[in-house]
Amino acid sequence: MAEIAIRNVEKSYGKTAVLHGVDLQIANGEFLVILGPSGCGKSTLLRMIAGLEGITQGEIAIDGRVVNALEPRERGCAMVFQNYALYPHMTVAENIGYALKVAGLPKAERDRRVAEIAQIVGLEAFLARRPSELSGGQRQRVAMGRAMIREPKVFLFDEPLSNLDAKLRVQMRLEIRRLHQRLQATSVFVTHDQIEAMSLADRIVVMNQGRIEQAGPPRLLYAEPATRFVAAFLGAPAMNLLPATMIAKNRARMTDGTEISLDPERFAAEIGQAVEIGIRPEDVMIVWPGSEGAHQVEVEFTEDMGSSRLIHTRLGATEFTVLQPTAQIEAEGALHITLPEDAIHLFDAGTGRRLAGKATLIGLRASAAA
């Protein structure tokens, strides 16, 4: 196992800056997921840890040793790529054991280690096959086995599941998590898929335009997003965001005149401030007409998700989604909804930062410490 320290790391290609002073501490044995859209710098950061990209400024330390000037093979990292990168002319056994062959390990010891790794990744019956005879999931397991046999300090995963179909992605997520629980190696996993991030991570780092937006346990980022970007990026379906202006400490008004009640104890917003009100589709309550605080929304269409139903509506002039159990209420024409005050998030419209009152901030620190 190894701790990774990333200190004020910057990366530029010519005059184009890609990473802007990234600071990050990754604990021994932690499974950290770096999440963000294409072009945010997540893969570049991973490649800098591996030594495949140079560092423009700052330093990276692995197990207390600064590795800026070290070659990739000297860093104690093993990398699993999106495209598997297997040798097509070699068998599964030869692919897994290639690093040991290059290191000059005797064949008997190589064969023993290959058999151990094949059992861990479930490939005992496929050792004599070549990559072209395997499924996508099996090839990815070969790639993981090849990384594991080196007994690295750090595992680096660069979007390894992107080329798999939906069913295989679910299966491989489970296998990767089980492997981590068994090996307890420090792991850094890069993805643009928030479901992968939420299901795999001990801690998620959300990146945007070369900067860290927020880092923390998955449940904390989901429940207390620090920015509008994190709120919108985490969650499927995405959080509803409603542009409004504060007209009182406990009330905001949308451009069409719709007014939303807020808990003044939870937010620090000034009267006249432009804000965005956020609420997740699953937190919206469908109520009877005439209920206190109800808003009428017009249903545009619905999506039947099997165990739930996603209702696409408009609240005033803004698109608005509601997630409900399938068997609850028929969604046609108009619905009446309420927005529970304890489920509302509030963001500054200019900066995108979360507007939090004292009580919320205390809760955030307590959750992060846990």
Side-chain angles (χ1 to χ4, degrees), residues 89-356:
H89 63 287
M90 293 183 181
T91 64
V92 168
E94 290 167 340
N95 266 286
I96 292 175
Y98 184 70
L100 302 184
K101 182 178 181 180
V102 171
L105 208 68
K107 187 176 186 307
E109 177 63 12
R110 263 194 346 255
D111 290 345
R112 183 187 68 78
R113 294 272 299 278
V114 167
E116 287 178 357
I117 295 298
Q119 183 178 22
I120 291 172
V121 296
L123 290 171
E124 308 100 301
F126 303 93
L127 289 174
R129 296 191 187 182
R130 286 182 167 77
S132 61
E133 302 173 285
L134 304 175
S135 69
Q138 289 165 343
R139 289 180 210 170
Q140 195 56 276
R141 278 186 278 166
V142 175
M144 286 193 290
R146 183 180 57 189
M148 290 166 55
I149 204 165
R150 295 172 52 195
E151 298 182 348
K153 295 178 181 178
V154 177
F155 281 104
L156 305 175
F157 297 88
D158 189 10
E159 304 211 39
L161 310 184
S162 295
N163 290 341
L164 306 180
D165 62 37
K167 184 177 180 179
L168 271 177
R169 282 201 300 272
V170 173
Q171 178 185 337
M172 290 305 298
R173 284 204 306 267
L174 293 173
E175 291 190 16
I176 289 171
R177 192 62 197 177
R178 287 183 183 125
L179 282 172
H180 178 73
Q181 289 176 339
R182 180 169 180 172
L183 301 174
Q184 291 298 301
T186 305
S187 300
V188 184
F189 188 104
V190 160
T191 183
H192 62 273
D193 186 326
Q194 53 99 10
I195 295 176
E196 280 181 17
M198 295 290 288
S199 59
L200 284 171
D202 296 326
R203 189 161 55 108
I204 296 174
V205 173
V206 179
M207 291 191 66
N208 182 31
Q209 298 182 346
R211 293 182 172 85
I212 293 176
E213 289 269 333
Q214 188 177 5
R219 62 180 178 82
L220 176 63
L221 268 63
Y222 189 81
E224 302 284 359
T227 67
R228 174 181 55 208
F229 178 85
V230 176
F233 200 80
L234 278 179
M239 180 183 286
N240 294 298
L241 291 168
L242 307 170
T245 302
M246 295 298 297
I247 59 171
K249 287 290 187 181
N250 66 341
R251 208 157 190 80
R253 180 181 291 149
M254 297 171 60
T255 53
D256 69 324
T258 300
E259 294 187 4
I260 308 293
S261 296
L262 304 171
D263 180 354
E265 296 297 319
R266 295 184 59 231
F267 305 113
E270 300 298 324
I271 296 173
Q273 184 174 359
V275 298
E276 287 190 80
I277 299 165
I279 188 165
R280 296 204 177 275
E282 65 268 27
D283 291 330
V284 179
M285 302 291 293
I286 297 176
V287 297
W288 295 108
S291 299
E292 183 179 356
H295 302 279
Q296 181 173 306
V297 294
E298 298 300 322
V299 176
E300 295 185 329
F301 62 94
T302 64
E303 292 181 78
D304 195 334
M305 315 295 284
S307 60
S308 61
R309 181 165 46 187
L310 189 60
I311 308 169
H312 295 266
T313 75
R314 298 192 81 83
L315 178 55
T318 306
E319 292 183 1
F320 191 86
T321 54
V322 180
L323 188 67
Q324 66 153 172
T326 301
Q328 265 194 0
I329 298 172
E330 285 302 317
E332 294 181 0
L335 282 180
H336 290 80
I337 62 168
T338 59
L339 313 183
E341 291 183 7
D342 61 356
I344 287 177
H345 306 260
L346 199 64
F347 305 95
D348 183 276
T351 66
R353 304 297 302 180
R354 182 185 185 86
L355 297 168

